[in-house]
Amino acid sequence: MGFLHSSSLFPFLLVFIVSFSWPITSSADIYGDFLHCLSSSSISNLVYTQMNSSYSSILESTIHNSRFITPTSPKPWVIVTPLHVSHVQATIRCSKKHGLQLRTRSGGHDFEGVSYISESESPFVIIDLANLRSVQVDVENEVAWVQSGAIMGELYYEIAQKSGTLAFPGALCHGVAFGRYISGGGYGLLFRKYGLAADNVIDAEFIDANGRILKQKINGGRSVLGYSNCNNVFNKQNAGTKRHSNSPPLAIYFIQIPRRNVPFDHDINNEHHHPRRPELNGGHHFQHHVLGRANELVSLMQNIFPELGLTSKDCNEMSFVESILALGLLPNQNLEILLDRNYRGIWSQLFEPEARGATLNFVAYSGKMDEIPESAVPFPHRKGNLYKISYNIRWREEDNVNSERYIPWMRRLHSYMKSFVSKSPREAYVNYRDLDIGKNNEDGYTTYAQMSTWGRTYFKNNFDRLVKIMTKIDPETFFRHQQSISPYFG
């Protein structure tokens, strides 16, 4: 084969080579400069790059959806595991300085994985808050300070160690991280009587996009809305008080409950409805938690809901924290199981052959939820809502290659339910995030009208107030993800 001699070809090749190599060099420079920035803040031992042997284990430690653990899933350049507020501040400042996107992860339970993946091609960094997990319980004043990375089980455990009559209306799942759970509102066993977990927050502190510490009283007068869902504005450790220097970020108040409670699981079978077609048989499963004695509950249910068939044999009196274990599928376990972040008992059961298929979960509202105004916190789904519905479908891990068979089915079911649920907007719970509703443009610019699609779905009229807050504290949209709220400039 001969060589092509042409004086006009060389300049073209030169331009091509320079243009091709420049982004690689630029990315390498940014990466090196970012790591140097972190090292100057003395947190090098808390930084995990893709070359670190612990990188994969830390990344996957709190990924609860195997859809996002694939070779093609976007991976962060760096994972930072801060031990102190100054480490969080340094990571924010260095990320912003070098133009890197930031993801914050408390417990990794986000349905769409937005706390640890990115759909854009831009490099990103994860701040993993798992080490910021302090819980300080003040029994005398019936309050506690809790860091964002603490899981609900750690809070329940600390309460149980000090009191048998104090409780917090938090999540049933003990492995959910406190910070993100609170920021989405947070419903639990006691929310119909005492409201959401967010309704019981009285003080909070944050770090904004410039690394500044912001302090805010919350529910003392119910005058502040924006302590949650301001994208990834950090809950942070409290400073300048009588607590030690690494004290937690959110102050919550406890509720007084009876020493004995009654949780119950009860099934009603419909076998007699289709005796000739057993494949159509179904049933109803009732799960409830009552503050009081078993005999009072049985008498009440026999009067108002005799079809349930509840008897004293179905009811066992126990403490609040024991109720968490019983209803959380952890019966007969020691309290220490609440401290286990890696407990997977419930996940293994969900993937057993008997658990394959779809479920619709109905969570009953009303009670205290009807009394708290929609504007109290960003979570707006209050009076007039009968149930929250979650749609789930499960399949075996080895069947992941066929996932596209299952997800479209779930979408069709969700569409079918449209005429039976809330309208204008069709409301959704932000902690059950759904990117099908809509998402930001990859170039970083999203119009107010686009944001309203999911913003009003999650927050209704509170959306406008959240936009104003973001316009004030993060005008450059440093904290962002696929459904983050951006500033508005008219």
Side-chain angles (χ1 to χ4, degrees), residues 246-287:
N246 196 33
S247 58
L250 291 176
I252 61 175
Y253 57 79
F254 294 135
I255 55 176
Q256 286 280 358
I257 61 171
R259 188 170 292 276
R260 308 305 292 173
N261 302 260
V262 185
F264 70 83
D265 278 301
H266 193 68
D267 294 306
I268 298 179
N269 294 320
N270 291 340
E271 188 171 341
H272 61 283
H273 289 174
H274 302 284
R276 297 182 180 179
R277 297 188 63 188
E279 72 276 10
L280 298 181
N281 292 337
H284 304 285
H285 180 75
F286 293 85
Q287 188 178 67

mmCIF file of all heavy atoms in Angstrom, residues 246-287:
data_model
loop_
_atom_site.group_PDB
_atom_site.id
_atom_site.type_symbol
_atom_site.label_atom_id
_atom_site.label_comp_id
_atom_site.label_asym_id
_atom_site.label_seq_id
_atom_site.Cartn_x
_atom_site.Cartn_y
_atom_site.Cartn_z
ATOM 1 N N ASN A 246 -19.114 18.284 67.393
ATOM 2 C CA ASN A 246 -19.593 17.439 66.299
ATOM 3 C C ASN A 246 -21.052 17.061 66.519
ATOM 4 O O ASN A 246 -21.476 15.969 66.215
ATOM 5 C CB ASN A 246 -18.731 16.179 66.206
ATOM 6 C CG ASN A 246 -18.920 15.471 64.874
ATOM 7 O OD1 ASN A 246 -19.142 16.102 63.856
ATOM 8 N ND2 ASN A 246 -18.828 14.156 64.892
ATOM 9 N N SER A 247 -21.830 17.963 67.093
ATOM 10 C CA SER A 247 -23.205 17.651 67.428
ATOM 11 C C SER A 247 -24.083 17.630 66.180
ATOM 12 O O SER A 247 -23.732 18.186 65.153
ATOM 13 C CB SER A 247 -23.745 18.656 68.444
ATOM 14 O OG SER A 247 -23.655 19.964 67.938
ATOM 15 N N PRO A 248 -25.278 16.974 66.280
ATOM 16 C CA PRO A 248 -26.078 16.686 65.088
ATOM 17 C C PRO A 248 -26.852 17.883 64.551
ATOM 18 O O PRO A 248 -26.934 18.922 65.176
ATOM 19 C CB PRO A 248 -27.033 15.597 65.583
ATOM 20 C CG PRO A 248 -26.441 15.106 66.860
ATOM 21 C CD PRO A 248 -25.722 16.269 67.447
ATOM 22 N N PRO A 249 -27.494 17.683 63.362
ATOM 23 C CA PRO A 249 -28.046 18.814 62.644
ATOM 24 C C PRO A 249 -29.515 19.126 62.868
ATOM 25 O O PRO A 249 -29.930 20.240 62.710
ATOM 26 C CB PRO A 249 -27.848 18.409 61.188
ATOM 27 C CG PRO A 249 -27.981 16.928 61.228
ATOM 28 C CD PRO A 249 -27.447 16.496 62.557
ATOM 29 N N LEU A 250 -30.341 18.129 63.169
ATOM 30 C CA LEU A 250 -31.774 18.351 63.281
ATOM 31 C C LEU A 250 -32.243 18.090 64.699
ATOM 32 O O LEU A 250 -31.952 17.052 65.278
ATOM 33 C CB LEU A 250 -32.536 17.420 62.328
ATOM 34 C CG LEU A 250 -32.385 17.707 60.838
ATOM 35 C CD1 LEU A 250 -33.116 16.643 60.038
ATOM 36 C CD2 LEU A 250 -32.924 19.076 60.492
ATOM 37 N N ALA A 251 -32.976 19.064 65.261
ATOM 38 C CA ALA A 251 -33.564 18.873 66.583
ATOM 39 C C ALA A 251 -35.000 18.414 66.400
ATOM 40 O O ALA A 251 -35.762 19.003 65.627
ATOM 41 C CB ALA A 251 -33.516 20.173 67.376
ATOM 42 N N ILE A 252 -35.384 17.363 67.088
ATOM 43 C CA ILE A 252 -36.743 16.821 67.004
ATOM 44 C C ILE A 252 -37.323 16.731 68.395
ATOM 45 O O ILE A 252 -36.590 16.673 69.390
ATOM 46 C CB ILE A 252 -36.756 15.424 66.353
ATOM 47 C CG1 ILE A 252 -35.924 14.436 67.183
ATOM 48 C CG2 ILE A 252 -36.248 15.488 64.922
ATOM 49 C CD1 ILE A 252 -35.981 13.005 66.693
ATOM 50 N N TYR A 253 -38.639 16.764 68.473
ATOM 51 C CA TYR A 253 -39.233 16.562 69.784
ATOM 52 C C TYR A 253 -39.990 15.248 69.811
ATOM 53 O O TYR A 253 -40.526 14.783 68.811
ATOM 54 C CB TYR A 253 -40.111 17.732 70.219
ATOM 55 C CG TYR A 253 -41.255 18.109 69.317
ATOM 56 C CD1 TYR A 253 -42.450 17.382 69.326
ATOM 57 C CD2 TYR A 253 -41.176 19.216 68.481
ATOM 58 C CE1 TYR A 253 -43.513 17.747 68.516
ATOM 59 C CE2 TYR A 253 -42.227 19.589 67.679
ATOM 60 C CZ TYR A 253 -43.395 18.853 67.702
ATOM 61 O OH TYR A 253 -44.442 19.212 66.896
ATOM 62 N N PHE A 254 -40.026 14.647 71.020
ATOM 63 C CA PHE A 254 -40.651 13.343 71.199
ATOM 64 C C PHE A 254 -42.116 13.496 71.589
ATOM 65 O O PHE A 254 -42.582 14.571 71.966
ATOM 66 C CB PHE A 254 -39.934 12.546 72.292
ATOM 67 C CG PHE A 254 -38.528 12.179 71.943
ATOM 68 C CD1 PHE A 254 -37.498 12.342 72.871
ATOM 69 C CD2 PHE A 254 -38.203 11.676 70.703
ATOM 70 C CE1 PHE A 254 -36.193 12.013 72.562
ATOM 71 C CE2 PHE A 254 -36.905 11.341 70.380
ATOM 72 C CZ PHE A 254 -35.904 11.507 71.320
ATOM 73 N N ILE A 255 -42.824 12.399 71.495
ATOM 74 C CA ILE A 255 -44.209 12.336 71.940
ATOM 75 C C ILE A 255 -44.304 11.336 73.085
ATOM 76 O O ILE A 255 -43.536 10.384 73.160
ATOM 77 C CB ILE A 255 -45.140 11.920 70.788
ATOM 78 C CG1 ILE A 255 -44.658 10.597 70.174
ATOM 79 C CG2 ILE A 255 -45.204 12.998 69.734
ATOM 80 C CD1 ILE A 255 -45.553 10.043 69.101
ATOM 81 N N GLN A 256 -45.227 11.569 73.986
ATOM 82 C CA GLN A 256 -45.473 10.652 75.090
ATOM 83 C C GLN A 256 -46.493 9.614 74.646
ATOM 84 O O GLN A 256 -47.554 9.953 74.117
ATOM 85 C CB GLN A 256 -46.006 11.414 76.310
ATOM 86 C CG GLN A 256 -44.957 12.229 77.044
ATOM 87 C CD GLN A 256 -44.105 11.349 77.967
ATOM 88 O OE1 GLN A 256 -44.334 10.137 78.084
ATOM 89 N NE2 GLN A 256 -43.126 11.972 78.605
ATOM 90 N N ILE A 257 -46.168 8.356 74.860
ATOM 91 C CA ILE A 257 -47.071 7.273 74.480
ATOM 92 C C ILE A 257 -47.222 6.309 75.656
ATOM 93 O O ILE A 257 -46.405 6.316 76.580
ATOM 94 C CB ILE A 257 -46.548 6.503 73.252
ATOM 95 C CG1 ILE A 257 -45.192 5.865 73.563
ATOM 96 C CG2 ILE A 257 -46.467 7.404 72.036
ATOM 97 C CD1 ILE A 257 -44.708 4.924 72.491
ATOM 98 N N PRO A 258 -48.265 5.483 75.632
ATOM 99 C CA PRO A 258 -48.397 4.472 76.682
ATOM 100 C C PRO A 258 -47.213 3.500 76.670
ATOM 101 O O PRO A 258 -46.579 3.288 75.628
ATOM 102 C CB PRO A 258 -49.695 3.743 76.320
ATOM 103 C CG PRO A 258 -50.445 4.690 75.432
ATOM 104 C CD PRO A 258 -49.400 5.460 74.690
ATOM 105 N N ARG A 259 -46.939 2.924 77.808
ATOM 106 C CA ARG A 259 -45.821 1.983 77.893
ATOM 107 C C ARG A 259 -46.102 0.723 77.089
ATOM 108 O O ARG A 259 -45.176 0.088 76.576
ATOM 109 C CB ARG A 259 -45.550 1.641 79.360
ATOM 110 C CG ARG A 259 -44.284 0.828 79.582
ATOM 111 C CD ARG A 259 -43.959 0.747 81.068
ATOM 112 N NE ARG A 259 -43.577 2.036 81.596
ATOM 113 C CZ ARG A 259 -42.339 2.550 81.533
ATOM 114 N NH1 ARG A 259 -41.381 1.857 80.954
ATOM 115 N NH2 ARG A 259 -42.072 3.720 82.049
ATOM 116 N N ARG A 260 -47.375 0.366 76.955
ATOM 117 C CA ARG A 260 -47.729 -0.830 76.189
ATOM 118 C C ARG A 260 -48.483 -0.431 74.927
ATOM 119 O O ARG A 260 -49.386 0.398 74.955
ATOM 120 C CB ARG A 260 -48.603 -1.797 77.016
ATOM 121 C CG ARG A 260 -48.027 -2.149 78.373
ATOM 122 C CD ARG A 260 -46.620 -2.711 78.264
ATOM 123 N NE ARG A 260 -46.592 -4.014 77.621
ATOM 124 C CZ ARG A 260 -45.480 -4.637 77.292
ATOM 125 N NH1 ARG A 260 -44.301 -4.074 77.530
ATOM 126 N NH2 ARG A 260 -45.516 -5.820 76.719
ATOM 127 N N ASN A 261 -48.107 -1.025 73.795
ATOM 128 C CA ASN A 261 -48.717 -0.765 72.498
ATOM 129 C C ASN A 261 -49.132 -2.088 71.871
ATOM 130 O O ASN A 261 -48.665 -3.158 72.280
ATOM 131 C CB ASN A 261 -47.737 -0.061 71.572
ATOM 132 C CG ASN A 261 -47.235 1.251 72.133
ATOM 133 O OD1 ASN A 261 -47.714 2.292 71.764
ATOM 134 N ND2 ASN A 261 -46.257 1.218 73.036
ATOM 135 N N VAL A 262 -50.000 -1.991 70.872
ATOM 136 C CA VAL A 262 -50.485 -3.212 70.223
ATOM 137 C C VAL A 262 -50.303 -3.100 68.708
ATOM 138 O O VAL A 262 -51.081 -2.414 68.034
ATOM 139 C CB VAL A 262 -51.971 -3.478 70.536
ATOM 140 C CG1 VAL A 262 -52.396 -4.825 69.930
ATOM 141 C CG2 VAL A 262 -52.225 -3.471 72.029
ATOM 142 N N PRO A 263 -49.286 -3.753 68.153
ATOM 143 C CA PRO A 263 -49.207 -3.876 66.687
ATOM 144 C C PRO A 263 -49.922 -5.156 66.268
ATOM 145 O O PRO A 263 -49.950 -6.132 67.010
ATOM 146 C CB PRO A 263 -47.705 -3.990 66.439
ATOM 147 C CG PRO A 263 -47.195 -4.706 67.651
ATOM 148 C CD PRO A 263 -48.086 -4.282 68.808
ATOM 149 N N PHE A 264 -50.532 -5.152 65.095
ATOM 150 C CA PHE A 264 -51.096 -6.417 64.634
ATOM 151 C C PHE A 264 -51.037 -6.518 63.128
ATOM 152 O O PHE A 264 -51.153 -5.539 62.415
ATOM 153 C CB PHE A 264 -52.533 -6.619 65.147
ATOM 154 C CG PHE A 264 -53.573 -5.716 64.555
ATOM 155 C CD1 PHE A 264 -54.183 -5.997 63.334
ATOM 156 C CD2 PHE A 264 -53.969 -4.563 65.234
ATOM 157 C CE1 PHE A 264 -55.145 -5.169 62.805
ATOM 158 C CE2 PHE A 264 -54.938 -3.731 64.700
ATOM 159 C CZ PHE A 264 -55.532 -4.031 63.484
ATOM 160 N N ASP A 265 -50.827 -7.739 62.664
ATOM 161 C CA ASP A 265 -50.927 -8.134 61.260
ATOM 162 C C ASP A 265 -52.091 -9.102 61.163
ATOM 163 O O ASP A 265 -52.142 -10.093 61.897
ATOM 164 C CB ASP A 265 -49.651 -8.840 60.787
ATOM 165 C CG ASP A 265 -48.569 -7.855 60.403
ATOM 166 O OD1 ASP A 265 -48.826 -7.051 59.497
ATOM 167 O OD2 ASP A 265 -47.483 -7.896 61.006
ATOM 168 N N HIS A 266 -53.020 -8.833 60.263
ATOM 169 C CA HIS A 266 -54.182 -9.707 60.181
ATOM 170 C C HIS A 266 -54.598 -9.860 58.730
ATOM 171 O O HIS A 266 -54.596 -8.889 57.960
ATOM 172 C CB HIS A 266 -55.335 -9.133 61.005
ATOM 173 C CG HIS A 266 -56.451 -10.113 61.238
ATOM 174 N ND1 HIS A 266 -56.304 -11.234 62.032
ATOM 175 C CD2 HIS A 266 -57.727 -10.143 60.776
ATOM 176 C CE1 HIS A 266 -57.447 -11.905 62.060
ATOM 177 N NE2 HIS A 266 -58.312 -11.267 61.301
ATOM 178 N N ASP A 267 -54.944 -11.064 58.343
ATOM 179 C CA ASP A 267 -55.327 -11.369 56.963
ATOM 180 C C ASP A 267 -56.793 -11.761 56.885
ATOM 181 O O ASP A 267 -57.331 -12.419 57.784
ATOM 182 C CB ASP A 267 -54.488 -12.522 56.405
ATOM 183 C CG ASP A 267 -53.031 -12.143 56.269
ATOM 184 O OD1 ASP A 267 -52.752 -11.123 55.614
ATOM 185 O OD2 ASP A 267 -52.169 -12.858 56.825
ATOM 186 N N ILE A 268 -57.440 -11.334 55.811
ATOM 187 C CA ILE A 268 -58.779 -11.813 55.463
ATOM 188 C C ILE A 268 -58.672 -12.491 54.108
ATOM 189 O O ILE A 268 -58.294 -11.862 53.116
ATOM 190 C CB ILE A 268 -59.801 -10.662 55.382
ATOM 191 C CG1 ILE A 268 -59.946 -9.968 56.735
ATOM 192 C CG2 ILE A 268 -61.154 -11.185 54.922
ATOM 193 C CD1 ILE A 268 -60.926 -8.803 56.698
ATOM 194 N N ASN A 269 -58.982 -13.772 54.060
ATOM 195 C CA ASN A 269 -58.901 -14.517 52.806
ATOM 196 C C ASN A 269 -60.236 -14.476 52.074
ATOM 197 O O ASN A 269 -61.306 -14.498 52.678
ATOM 198 C CB ASN A 269 -58.512 -15.974 53.073
ATOM 199 C CG ASN A 269 -57.103 -16.084 53.635
ATOM 200 O OD1 ASN A 269 -56.214 -15.374 53.195
ATOM 201 N ND2 ASN A 269 -56.918 -16.954 54.607
ATOM 202 N N ASN A 270 -60.168 -14.452 50.755
ATOM 203 C CA ASN A 270 -61.371 -14.421 49.924
ATOM 204 C C ASN A 270 -61.613 -15.754 49.232
ATOM 205 O O ASN A 270 -62.189 -15.814 48.161
ATOM 206 C CB ASN A 270 -61.241 -13.328 48.846
ATOM 207 C CG ASN A 270 -61.268 -11.939 49.448
ATOM 208 O OD1 ASN A 270 -61.730 -11.761 50.559
ATOM 209 N ND2 ASN A 270 -60.762 -10.964 48.701
ATOM 210 N N GLU A 271 -61.165 -16.809 49.856
ATOM 211 C CA GLU A 271 -61.204 -18.108 49.204
ATOM 212 C C GLU A 271 -62.623 -18.530 48.811
ATOM 213 O O GLU A 271 -62.831 -19.165 47.782
ATOM 214 C CB GLU A 271 -60.587 -19.154 50.129
ATOM 215 C CG GLU A 271 -60.406 -20.508 49.482
ATOM 216 C CD GLU A 271 -59.595 -21.441 50.374
ATOM 217 O OE1 GLU A 271 -58.903 -20.937 51.267
ATOM 218 O OE2 GLU A 271 -59.679 -22.658 50.159
ATOM 219 N N HIS A 272 -63.621 -18.127 49.614
ATOM 220 C CA HIS A 272 -64.982 -18.562 49.333
ATOM 221 C C HIS A 272 -65.583 -17.843 48.117
ATOM 222 O O HIS A 272 -66.626 -18.250 47.608
ATOM 223 C CB HIS A 272 -65.865 -18.308 50.552
ATOM 224 C CG HIS A 272 -65.946 -16.858 50.934
ATOM 225 N ND1 HIS A 272 -64.925 -16.218 51.606
ATOM 226 C CD2 HIS A 272 -66.907 -15.924 50.705
ATOM 227 C CE1 HIS A 272 -65.269 -14.957 51.808
ATOM 228 N NE2 HIS A 272 -66.457 -14.748 51.261
ATOM 229 N N HIS A 273 -64.927 -16.778 47.625
ATOM 230 C CA HIS A 273 -65.487 -16.039 46.496
ATOM 231 C C HIS A 273 -65.373 -16.798 45.177
ATOM 232 O O HIS A 273 -66.218 -16.666 44.309
ATOM 233 C CB HIS A 273 -64.778 -14.691 46.358
ATOM 234 C CG HIS A 273 -65.133 -13.733 47.458
ATOM 235 N ND1 HIS A 273 -64.528 -12.512 47.597
ATOM 236 C CD2 HIS A 273 -66.036 -13.826 48.462
ATOM 237 C CE1 HIS A 273 -65.041 -11.883 48.643
ATOM 238 N NE2 HIS A 273 -65.947 -12.674 49.175
ATOM 239 N N HIS A 274 -64.315 -17.560 44.999
ATOM 240 C CA HIS A 274 -64.076 -18.244 43.734
ATOM 241 C C HIS A 274 -63.681 -19.702 43.998
ATOM 242 O O HIS A 274 -62.571 -20.104 43.698
ATOM 243 C CB HIS A 274 -62.979 -17.545 42.935
ATOM 244 C CG HIS A 274 -63.271 -16.114 42.646
ATOM 245 N ND1 HIS A 274 -64.176 -15.723 41.686
ATOM 246 C CD2 HIS A 274 -62.772 -14.987 43.212
ATOM 247 C CE1 HIS A 274 -64.224 -14.393 41.657
ATOM 248 N NE2 HIS A 274 -63.393 -13.925 42.576
ATOM 249 N N PRO A 275 -64.578 -20.509 44.523
ATOM 250 C CA PRO A 275 -64.221 -21.885 44.857
ATOM 251 C C PRO A 275 -63.842 -22.725 43.642
ATOM 252 O O PRO A 275 -63.068 -23.665 43.761
ATOM 253 C CB PRO A 275 -65.490 -22.419 45.533
ATOM 254 C CG PRO A 275 -66.596 -21.545 45.020
ATOM 255 C CD PRO A 275 -65.985 -20.199 44.820
ATOM 256 N N ARG A 276 -64.365 -22.370 42.455
ATOM 257 C CA ARG A 276 -64.071 -23.156 41.255
ATOM 258 C C ARG A 276 -62.860 -22.626 40.500
ATOM 259 O O ARG A 276 -62.375 -23.288 39.598
ATOM 260 C CB ARG A 276 -65.293 -23.174 40.336
ATOM 261 C CG ARG A 276 -66.505 -23.853 40.963
ATOM 262 C CD ARG A 276 -67.678 -23.884 40.001
ATOM 263 N NE ARG A 276 -68.843 -24.522 40.596
ATOM 264 C CZ ARG A 276 -70.008 -24.662 39.970
ATOM 265 N NH1 ARG A 276 -70.141 -24.234 38.717
ATOM 266 N NH2 ARG A 276 -71.023 -25.237 40.587
ATOM 267 N N ARG A 277 -62.449 -21.405 40.833
ATOM 268 C CA ARG A 277 -61.279 -20.823 40.149
ATOM 269 C C ARG A 277 -60.323 -20.292 41.205
ATOM 270 O O ARG A 277 -60.249 -19.088 41.483
ATOM 271 C CB ARG A 277 -61.709 -19.710 39.197
ATOM 272 C CG ARG A 277 -62.614 -20.197 38.073
ATOM 273 C CD ARG A 277 -62.832 -19.081 37.056
ATOM 274 N NE ARG A 277 -61.574 -18.697 36.437
ATOM 275 C CZ ARG A 277 -61.440 -17.646 35.619
ATOM 276 N NH1 ARG A 277 -62.497 -16.896 35.354
ATOM 277 N NH2 ARG A 277 -60.270 -17.344 35.092
ATOM 278 N N PRO A 278 -59.582 -21.183 41.846
ATOM 279 C CA PRO A 278 -58.703 -20.765 42.943
ATOM 280 C C PRO A 278 -57.640 -19.762 42.516
ATOM 281 O O PRO A 278 -57.117 -19.032 43.352
ATOM 282 C CB PRO A 278 -58.070 -22.084 43.394
ATOM 283 C CG PRO A 278 -58.235 -23.024 42.239
ATOM 284 C CD PRO A 278 -59.514 -22.629 41.587
ATOM 285 N N GLU A 279 -57.346 -19.722 41.205
ATOM 286 C CA GLU A 279 -56.324 -18.760 40.764
ATOM 287 C C GLU A 279 -56.802 -17.327 40.943
ATOM 288 O O GLU A 279 -56.007 -16.387 40.919
ATOM 289 C CB GLU A 279 -55.945 -19.010 39.297
ATOM 290 C CG GLU A 279 -57.005 -18.622 38.271
ATOM 291 C CD GLU A 279 -58.053 -19.709 38.041
ATOM 292 O OE1 GLU A 279 -58.051 -20.682 38.826
ATOM 293 O OE2 GLU A 279 -58.841 -19.584 37.093
ATOM 294 N N LEU A 280 -58.134 -17.138 41.109
ATOM 295 C CA LEU A 280 -58.674 -15.799 41.315
ATOM 296 C C LEU A 280 -58.817 -15.443 42.786
ATOM 297 O O LEU A 280 -59.221 -14.328 43.108
ATOM 298 C CB LEU A 280 -60.054 -15.675 40.631
ATOM 299 C CG LEU A 280 -60.074 -15.866 39.114
ATOM 300 C CD1 LEU A 280 -61.498 -15.691 38.587
ATOM 301 C CD2 LEU A 280 -59.135 -14.864 38.437
ATOM 302 N N ASN A 281 -58.518 -16.383 43.653
ATOM 303 C CA ASN A 281 -58.623 -16.095 45.075
ATOM 304 C C ASN A 281 -57.595 -15.056 45.486
ATOM 305 O O ASN A 281 -56.496 -15.011 44.953
ATOM 306 C CB ASN A 281 -58.404 -17.376 45.901
ATOM 307 C CG ASN A 281 -59.544 -18.353 45.712
ATOM 308 O OD1 ASN A 281 -60.646 -17.962 45.345
ATOM 309 N ND2 ASN A 281 -59.262 -19.629 45.951
ATOM 310 N N GLY A 282 -57.958 -14.249 46.411
ATOM 311 C CA GLY A 282 -57.045 -13.225 46.908
ATOM 312 C C GLY A 282 -57.282 -13.004 48.382
ATOM 313 O O GLY A 282 -57.913 -13.806 49.059
ATOM 314 N N GLY A 283 -56.784 -11.899 48.870
ATOM 315 C CA GLY A 283 -56.963 -11.611 50.275
ATOM 316 C C GLY A 283 -56.597 -10.178 50.582
ATOM 317 O O GLY A 283 -56.119 -9.441 49.721
ATOM 318 N N HIS A 284 -56.853 -9.802 51.825
ATOM 319 C CA HIS A 284 -56.530 -8.469 52.300
ATOM 320 C C HIS A 284 -55.652 -8.597 53.537
ATOM 321 O O HIS A 284 -55.926 -9.422 54.415
ATOM 322 C CB HIS A 284 -57.803 -7.695 52.658
ATOM 323 C CG HIS A 284 -58.789 -7.607 51.529
ATOM 324 N ND1 HIS A 284 -58.611 -6.769 50.457
ATOM 325 C CD2 HIS A 284 -59.960 -8.277 51.306
ATOM 326 C CE1 HIS A 284 -59.636 -6.901 49.622
ATOM 327 N NE2 HIS A 284 -60.450 -7.818 50.117
ATOM 328 N N HIS A 285 -54.631 -7.804 53.555
ATOM 329 C CA HIS A 285 -53.693 -7.836 54.673
ATOM 330 C C HIS A 285 -53.756 -6.497 55.405
ATOM 331 O O HIS A 285 -53.557 -5.448 54.793
ATOM 332 C CB HIS A 285 -52.274 -8.093 54.178
ATOM 333 C CG HIS A 285 -51.253 -8.136 55.265
ATOM 334 N ND1 HIS A 285 -51.116 -9.202 56.104
ATOM 335 C CD2 HIS A 285 -50.328 -7.231 55.670
ATOM 336 C CE1 HIS A 285 -50.142 -8.972 56.958
ATOM 337 N NE2 HIS A 285 -49.654 -7.763 56.719
ATOM 338 N N PHE A 286 -54.052 -6.529 56.689
ATOM 339 C CA PHE A 286 -54.161 -5.318 57.497
ATOM 340 C C PHE A 286 -53.008 -5.275 58.505
ATOM 341 O O PHE A 286 -52.765 -6.250 59.226
ATOM 342 C CB PHE A 286 -55.497 -5.289 58.250
ATOM 343 C CG PHE A 286 -56.695 -5.144 57.349
ATOM 344 C CD1 PHE A 286 -57.272 -6.253 56.754
ATOM 345 C CD2 PHE A 286 -57.230 -3.890 57.086
ATOM 346 C CE1 PHE A 286 -58.367 -6.123 55.923
ATOM 347 C CE2 PHE A 286 -58.337 -3.749 56.244
ATOM 348 C CZ PHE A 286 -58.902 -4.873 55.673
ATOM 349 N N GLN A 287 -52.346 -4.144 58.506
ATOM 350 C CA GLN A 287 -51.242 -3.938 59.443
ATOM 351 C C GLN A 287 -51.512 -2.638 60.181
ATOM 352 O O GLN A 287 -51.746 -1.594 59.550
ATOM 353 C CB GLN A 287 -49.912 -3.866 58.690
ATOM 354 C CG GLN A 287 -48.688 -3.838 59.583
ATOM 355 C CD GLN A 287 -47.401 -3.814 58.764
ATOM 356 O OE1 GLN A 287 -47.115 -2.841 58.077
ATOM 357 N NE2 GLN A 287 -46.640 -4.891 58.827
#
